[in-house]
Amino acid sequence: MPVDVLVGLQWGDEGKGKIVDVLAPTYDVVARFQGGPNAGHTLTFDGMKHVLHQVPSGIFHPHIINVVGNGVVFDPVVFRLELEKLQARGVDGTRNLYISKKAQLILPSHRALDRILEEARGGGKIGSTLKGIGPTYQDKIGRTGLRIGDVLLPDFKERYAEAVARHATLAAFHNKELEIEAFEADFFSAIDYLRTLNLTDTEYLLNDLLKQGKRILAEGAQGSLLDIDFGTYPFVTSSSTVVAGACTGLGIAPRHIDKVFGITKAYCTRVGSGPFPTELHDEVGEQIRTAGREFGATTGRPRRCGWIDLPALRYTIMLNGVSELHLMKADVLDEFDEIRVCTHYRNPEGQETDQLPDLGALQTMQPVYTTLPGWKTNLQSITAPDALPEALKSYLRFLEQHLQVPIHIVSVGPDRVSTIHLN
């Protein structure tokens, strides 16, 4: 059986966790392929909200095997807290959970370095979540990082001490100290807990499951516009958030990839610094933020809000080879008389383009909008596609026409039941 991949098409926070939860019952495996505890996947069902950071979003389905792949950077303290919270809600998160021995470990010193390096940027901050993600990926690429499998070695503490010494040298370059002693007891306790879990070579596990005919859903974190190569660099994350990252982050060959589910909001948001052509700094942006409860699941920071951006979506659809779109949070726009859609950008010379330019040019672009009528309907009361208001149907047709990809799912509320399947 093939592997389907689910990716965010904007700057993250698109609602990927909900869609994984909705689609999961039709899969045997959910596998997370990149990112770390900087991700916050929010799932709502049975009147309760659940926020996952590193645990794959299939964890609430007992029949599903959940895999943390080698492309993930892994904070054992955060992971233990997640599993303990799941246990308190009656979910045994350890039973069907497998963690790659090749995933990189986030150390307390990585978190300290993250803050030191971000502060050193001054006014040029990239908006890091300060979870140690960037420094951990730096160590991975620099071939000095520690991996999950290292915790099983007899000299792990010596390896840890060597890593901390390297990080202390870097901190000293910025005239700072790591100040991590207060966090190390929790870290080593979490390492002991980690050793009790299923640590394995997940690339063999996943390929064996493929041979058995199992269906696998690869779950991405963040969004395609935060991709280390193709995002709005340098205001990006440190991993490959596009579909290609599923191959390197799980050890699955490209020929196994089948469907690509692209997740986008009916509008656009961004957390942290960086260009955002359709950002709204007025009461409309605040209305979207309030209606959409747009505050980071991981950081709690208010998200920047704006209208949907089709040039950016065309770009990420192209990069990912998206086969179907899932439109999230349509209900957030219920009260608007008009909905605006950015179809092009205009440069200072008056020339228009439907392509996403590089960072320097993007910062000078102005959005070109088409205005569509709002639906002025409470979408959360709707359960069938035929009952969707005509204005929303027109909005969906407009997006499909311009993006040349069918919309298969429309989310009309946070709960898993508030999901309209169109095809």
Side-chain angles (χ1 to χ4, degrees):
M1 296 294 286
V3 179
D4 295 336
V5 184
L6 182 143
V7 292
L9 297 179
Q10 298 169 307
W11 283 286
D13 310 307
E14 299 95 348
K16 296 180 290 296
K18 172 182 174 174
I19 293 299
V20 173
D21 180 60
V22 168
L23 297 178
T26 65
Y27 290 88
D28 304 295
V29 183
V30 172
R32 171 81 178 273
F33 63 84
Q34 49 76 221
N38 54 339
H41 290 179
T42 302
L43 297 77
T44 304
F45 53 89
D46 298 334
M48 296 185 69
K49 183 172 79 170
H50 310 266
V51 180
L52 301 175
H53 298 283
Q54 297 178 112
V55 176
S57 298
I59 201 68
F60 295 101
H61 301 272
H63 76 281
I64 290 177
I65 294 172
N66 290 270
V67 175
V68 178
N70 57 277
V72 172
V73 288
F74 189 93
D75 188 323
V77 176
V78 173
F79 200 76
R80 179 176 62 177
L81 288 174
E82 281 192 73
L83 293 183
E84 288 174 348
K85 287 181 180 179
L86 289 171
Q87 190 71 43
R89 294 185 174 185
V91 178
D92 182 1
T94 66
R95 189 168 60 89
N96 289 331
L97 177 64
Y98 297 86
I99 303 166
S100 172
K101 290 194 288 187
K102 294 180 175 65
Q104 294 281 320
L105 274 174
I106 299 175
L107 311 182
S109 50
H110 284 131
R111 295 174 69 102
L113 273 182
D114 204 353
R115 184 174 298 277
I116 290 169
L117 296 174
E118 184 76 339
E119 290 174 353
R121 292 185 177 98
K125 291 181 179 179
I126 61 173
S128 170
T129 59
L130 305 180
K131 304 295 182 182
I133 308 302
T136 307
Y137 276 116
Q138 282 180 304
D139 277 2
K140 175 180 180 176
I141 298 304
R143 297 167 293 180
T144 60
L146 299 181
R147 306 203 290 187
I148 295 288
D150 293 334
V151 308
L152 304 176
L153 301 176
D155 64 343
F156 173 71
K157 286 196 174 182
E158 288 80 2
R159 292 169 181 250
Y160 170 85
E162 289 174 2
V164 171
R166 286 194 300 272
H167 297 159
T169 299
L170 182 55
F173 177 80
H174 294 280
N175 298 313
K176 300 286 186 178
E177 294 184 0
L178 292 176
E179 299 178 349
I180 61 172
E181 292 78 7
F183 306 102
E184 289 187 310
D186 273 351
F187 175 78
F188 282 108
S189 175
I191 291 296
D192 288 338
Y193 177 79
L194 179 60
R195 293 186 179 111
T196 70
L197 303 179
N198 296 315
L199 312 182
T200 189
D201 296 311
T202 53
E203 63 273 27
Y204 278 111
L205 171 66
L206 290 168
N207 280 280
D208 286 344
L209 290 168
L210 280 173
K211 290 177 183 177
Q212 295 171 31
K214 303 297 185 182
R215 300 194 70 218
I216 298 174
L217 178 62
E219 176 185 17
Q222 289 83 44
S224 296
L225 292 173
L226 294 175
D227 183 85
I228 186 64
D229 288 298
F230 298 107
T232 49
Y233 189 90
F235 304 100
V236 294
T237 193
S238 300
S239 59
S240 180
T241 62
V242 296
V243 68
C247 296
T248 57
L250 295 175
I252 290 174
R255 67 184 179 89
H256 293 304
I257 303 297
D258 185 19
K259 295 180 181 178
V260 178
F261 306 127
I263 316 301
T264 175
K265 287 176 179 171
Y267 49 98
C268 202
T269 63
R270 177 164 198 166
V271 173
S273 306
F276 184 176
T278 65
E279 183 174 9
L280 297 168
H281 299 280
D282 55 12
E283 65 278 3
V284 176
E286 186 58 38
Q287 184 179 351
I288 292 175
R289 183 179 300 110
T290 301
R293 300 173 295 280
E294 292 294 354
F295 300 89
T298 297
T299 64
R301 289 183 294 182
R303 296 174 183 141
R304 301 156 64 190
C305 297
W307 297 115
I308 196 167
D309 184 331
L310 299 194
L313 278 176
R314 290 189 196 97
Y315 179 68
T316 55
I317 286 169
M318 174 188 72
L319 292 175
N320 289 292
V322 172
S323 49
E324 63 184 69
L325 291 170
H326 299 169
L327 188 77
M328 310 302 292
K329 288 197 165 186
D331 56 298
V332 172
L333 303 182
D334 282 355
E335 298 302 317
F336 287 91
D337 294 318
E338 296 179 336
I339 310 297
R340 304 190 79 187
V341 178
C342 172
T343 59
H344 295 76
Y345 302 135
R346 182 180 293 119
N347 68 18
E349 290 73 41
Q351 299 168 320
E352 293 188 4
T353 180
D354 63 358
Q355 296 186 357
L356 184 73
D358 63 21
L359 180 68
L362 184 61
Q363 291 175 321
T364 69
M365 294 290 182
Q366 293 297 317
V368 178
Y369 288 111
T370 295
T371 301
L372 302 174
W375 37 91
K376 304 290 288 185
T377 303
N378 180 5
L379 295 182
Q380 293 196 30
S381 64
I382 294 175
T383 58
D386 291 344
L388 293 174
E390 285 302 318
L392 175 55
K393 292 179 181 178
S394 295
Y395 177 75
L396 299 177
R397 287 194 295 268
F398 184 90
L399 296 184
E400 288 181 325
Q401 176 186 354
H402 282 262
L403 298 174
Q404 295 295 298
V405 180
I407 298 172
H408 281 204
I409 286 178
V410 177
S411 176
V412 295
D415 197 283
R416 65 163 60 141
V417 300
S418 300
T419 308
I420 308 297
H421 296 261
L422 301 182
N423 296 292

